[in-house]
Amino acid sequence: MKIDTYSFISFIILWGIPTFIVVRGYLKMNSDDKKLAINDFRSHRFIFTTGLIVIGALFIHLGLLFTLSIIKLIGFVFFALGGILLAINKWNKSKIKSVLVKKIFKYTIIGIATFLLILLGFYYLIIRSWQGEFFQYDNGVTIEVYNSSKQEITDLNFYFSFYKTHVHQNLGNINKLEPGETTILYSHQIKDVGNDRSLYLQYPLNKNKTDVVSLAYVPSYKPSKIVVVLEITGTDNYGKHLFRLKGFDDIGQFEVDLTSARE
C-alpha cells in the first residue's frame, strides 16, 4: 500500500490547519466555555449531523490517500447520512420549512463547490511548487537532449530498468545529434508498476564496449511523470560522454553535473 506524495501533502494541509485552529481556539477558552464546547461536541445532534459529515469527509480523503475503495465507500455513507440528518434536524426546527430546505440546499452546494475549488487550488499550488520549471512538461516520460559539444553524437538509447542490463521499457533512440542540435523523446505512459526502477542511457564506447549511465532513479511505485533534460558537453579520454543533467523524477527535482573527466 503506497501513499501518493501530493495526496499526502494536501491531506496534511486540509486537515492539519483546521485541526490546529480548533485546538488553538479551544485552549484559549476559559473553563466555562470549554465545558460548553465539550457538551456541544458530545450531543447527539452534533455527533449524528456535523460529526458524521466531518468523519465522512475524513474517511473519503483517507481512502483517496491510501487508494482503499472500502474506506472511501464508508466515508461517502457517513457523509451522506450526516447530510440527511442535518437537513431533517433543520427542517424540524423551522416554521417555514420549504424556505429552509431551499437555503440548506443552496448553502450545501455552495459549501461543496467552495471546498472543491480550495482543494483544487491547493493541489495546483503544491504541484506547481514541487515540480518547479518542469511543471510545463506533460505527464509521462520526457527526455530532452541538447548537444552543446563540437562533435556529432550518435546511437543514444534510453530505457527503464529494474536491473542495469535488462530493458523493462524502451523509451527510444537518438541515432544522430549534430552540434548545437536539440531533440526530444516522449512516451505518454510509464509501463506497469514497481519500486526502484531507473532511467538509463546506453551508448557505444567502441566496437566492443558500451557505457550505461543512470540518469534518474525512480523510487515511486507507480510514477506518473519523469522529465530528464540532458546537455552533452563533450567526451573524455575514454570516450565517455560528459554532461549536465537536470529533471524531475516524480518525487522531486534533481540536478547533476558531470562535465569533468569521468572514471
Side-chain angles (χ1 to χ4, degrees):
M1 181 173 59
K2 298 293 179 179
I3 302 176
D4 180 74
T5 303
Y6 306 128
S7 297
F8 179 74
I9 295 174
S10 65
F11 179 87
I12 295 297
I13 293 174
L14 291 174
W15 291 99
I17 293 176
T19 300
F20 172 79
I21 293 173
V22 170
V23 172
R24 185 169 178 268
Y26 175 79
L27 294 176
K28 286 187 174 183
M29 293 179 180
N30 57 43
S31 58
D32 291 333
D33 289 336
K34 286 181 179 179
K35 290 179 181 179
L36 290 174
I38 290 173
N39 289 336
D40 190 44
F41 287 143
R42 288 178 176 176
S43 68
H44 294 321
R45 176 187 58 79
F46 180 86
I47 292 173
F48 290 106
T49 55
T50 305
L52 281 178
I53 291 173
V54 173
I55 292 173
L58 176 61
F59 273 40
I60 291 170
H61 208 161
L62 285 173
L64 294 172
L65 180 64
F66 294 101
T67 61
L68 294 175
S69 299
I70 185 63
I71 300 296
K72 286 188 283 186
L73 178 60
I74 294 172
F76 279 119
V77 171
F78 282 174
F79 191 91
L81 183 60
I84 293 171
L85 293 176
L86 178 62
I88 293 174
N89 181 64
K90 295 296 183 181
W91 174 280
N92 290 332
K93 288 185 175 182
S94 175
K95 294 182 180 179
I96 311 174
K97 297 178 181 178
S98 61
V99 175
L100 181 59
V101 169
K102 289 180 180 179
K103 286 184 177 180
I104 292 172
F105 180 77
K106 180 179 73 174
Y107 291 128
T108 299
I109 295 298
I110 292 173
I112 293 173
T114 302
F115 175 78
L116 291 176
L117 286 173
I118 293 173
L119 180 61
L120 183 62
F122 271 121
Y123 183 73
Y124 175 84
L125 290 174
I126 290 168
I127 293 180
R128 186 65 186 258
S129 61
W130 194 262
Q131 297 186 8
E133 64 182 290
F134 306 104
F135 178 80
Q136 60 182 315
Y137 294 89
D138 294 331
N139 282 353
V141 185
T142 303
I143 303 171
E144 184 176 325
V145 185
Y146 169 54
N147 181 9
S148 66
S149 71
K150 296 180 180 181
Q151 61 195 55
E152 182 181 86
I153 303 296
T154 60
D155 300 323
L156 305 179
N157 174 235
F158 299 88
Y159 60 91
F160 275 128
S161 178
F162 296 102
Y163 311 100
K164 189 172 184 179
T165 57
H166 175 72
V167 177
H168 177 69
Q169 180 182 354
N170 187 28
L171 300 171
N173 301 287
I174 298 176
N175 297 323
K176 185 172 65 173
L177 201 61
E178 299 288 348
E181 186 179 359
T182 300
T183 191
I184 294 176
L185 298 176
Y186 174 73
S187 299
H188 75 281
Q189 186 176 13
I190 299 175
K191 181 180 176 182
D192 301 330
V193 296
N195 289 325
D196 300 331
R197 78 185 75 189
S198 292
L199 192 159
Y200 289 99
L201 162 64
Q202 178 177 284
Y203 61 92
L205 291 176
N206 52 47
K207 291 183 178 180
N208 301 317
K209 293 183 179 181
T210 60
D211 190 25
V212 179
V213 183
S214 176
L215 300 180
Y217 171 67
V218 188
S220 297
Y221 183 70
K222 190 176 181 180
S224 60
K225 180 175 180 176
I226 308 296
V227 180
V228 168
V229 179
L230 176 66
E231 178 191 357
I232 300 176
T233 61
T235 57
D236 64 14
N237 294 330
Y238 301 98
K240 294 184 177 182
H241 290 321
L242 305 175
F243 57 84
R244 294 186 184 91
L245 173 69
K246 61 181 180 179
F248 175 79
D249 63 2
D250 206 54
I251 294 296
Q253 301 175 55
F254 62 89
E255 193 165 345
V256 176
D257 190 336
L258 290 177
T259 54
S260 59
R262 295 174 53 202
E263 294 294 334

